[in-house]
């Protein structure tokens, strides 16, 4: 079993953790950063089933729902939500997005029906903390996103584990107000307030590694 499992969010892949994982491995941790399934018909259940157990599970953005689902099957020592969706049983990502008033987001789809994140939206919502060259490198690696993991409701149960939530004050993808609304209905034991944006694994990978290392110990 790996020490730390890092679950990426929508449109991303395991590549997004490269710098953070390298910093953690340099400290002796065994870290897994798998790619989630990308087939058009992927369900939430199938995405969770593709993940291995670990002592510490970290979920970013959409990955928070998968982290909760995996924790209900294989309870970790600690569960870390990095500016992520924080579900209760019966919730879906789409339902959580409606907790606070916000303009609806309608993304284009590819020929298979997967969601495409336009480069300008990726830059504005997730990558505004990077310079143009870094942002373009990240945009080139984004993948089409199956609808299932966003649409499907997680049935639960909610595992009895120690939870940490990393609230990112500069997040434009999951607004801090939405992060706080989710925390109000699904409390965690430890709240870590930061000034990060939605992609600290790219804008501050060393700082993120420091925090994960602290929690994992």
């Amino acid at each position: 079993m790996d020490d730390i499992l890092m679950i990426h969010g929508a449109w991303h892949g395991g590549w997004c953790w490269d710098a953070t994982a390298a910093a953690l491995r340099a400290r002796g941790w065994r870290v897994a950063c798998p790619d989630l399934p990308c087939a058009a018909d992927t369900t939430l259940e199938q995405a969770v089933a593709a993940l291995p157990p670990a002592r510490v599970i970290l979920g970013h953005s959409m990955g928070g729902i998968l982290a909760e689902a995996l924790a209900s099957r294989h309870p970790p020592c600690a569960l870390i939500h990095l500016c992520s969706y924080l579900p209760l049983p019966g919730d879906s990502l789409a339902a959580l997005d409606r907790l606070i008033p916000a303009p609806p987001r309608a993304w284009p789809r590819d020929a298979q029906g997967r969601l495409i994140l336009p480069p300008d939206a990726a830059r504005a919502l997730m990558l505004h903390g990077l310079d143009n060259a870094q942002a373009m490198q990240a945009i080139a690696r984004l993948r089409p996103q199956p609808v299932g993991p966003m649409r499907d409701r997680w049935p639960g149960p909610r595992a009895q584990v120690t939870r940490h939530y990393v609230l990112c004050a500069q997040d434009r993808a999951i607004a801090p107000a939405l992060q706080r609304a989710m925390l109000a209905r699904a409390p965690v034991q430890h709240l870590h307030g930061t000034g990060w944006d939605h992609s600290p694994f790219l804008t501050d990978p060393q700082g993120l590694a420091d925090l994960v290392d602290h929690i994992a110990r």
Side-chain angles (χ1 to χ4, degrees), residues 19 40 45 61 114 130 156 162 166 183 204 214:
E45 167 69 21
S61 195
R114 297 174 298 181
L130 301 175
T162 300
V166 184
L183 285 161
D204 189 11
H214 174 73

Side-chain angles (χ1 to χ4, degrees), residues 69-166:
L70 181 61
S72 69
R73 301 178 182 191
H74 305 286
C77 297
L79 178 56
I80 306 172
H81 285 273
L82 175 61
C83 56
S84 79
Y85 290 93
L86 183 61
L88 291 173
D91 285 338
S92 67
L93 183 155
L96 291 171
D97 257 342
R98 296 191 291 269
L99 286 178
I100 63 172
R105 296 173 179 173
W107 307 122
R109 302 194 182 210
D110 67 6
Q112 300 179 49
R114 297 174 298 181
L115 300 175
I116 300 297
L117 185 63
D120 57 344
R123 183 77 167 104
L125 295 174
M126 301 180 180
L127 304 171
H128 54 92
L130 301 175
D131 64 33
N132 285 332
Q134 293 171 319
M136 293 309 297
Q137 289 176 354
I139 287 169
R141 303 187 75 172
L142 297 180
R143 308 183 301 167
Q145 173 60 43
V147 175
M150 294 180 158
R151 175 202 59 211
D152 298 347
R153 294 186 179 272
W154 171 55
R158 197 182 197 217
Q160 298 299 311
V161 298
T162 300
R163 289 176 175 80
H164 296 253
Y165 195 96
V166 184

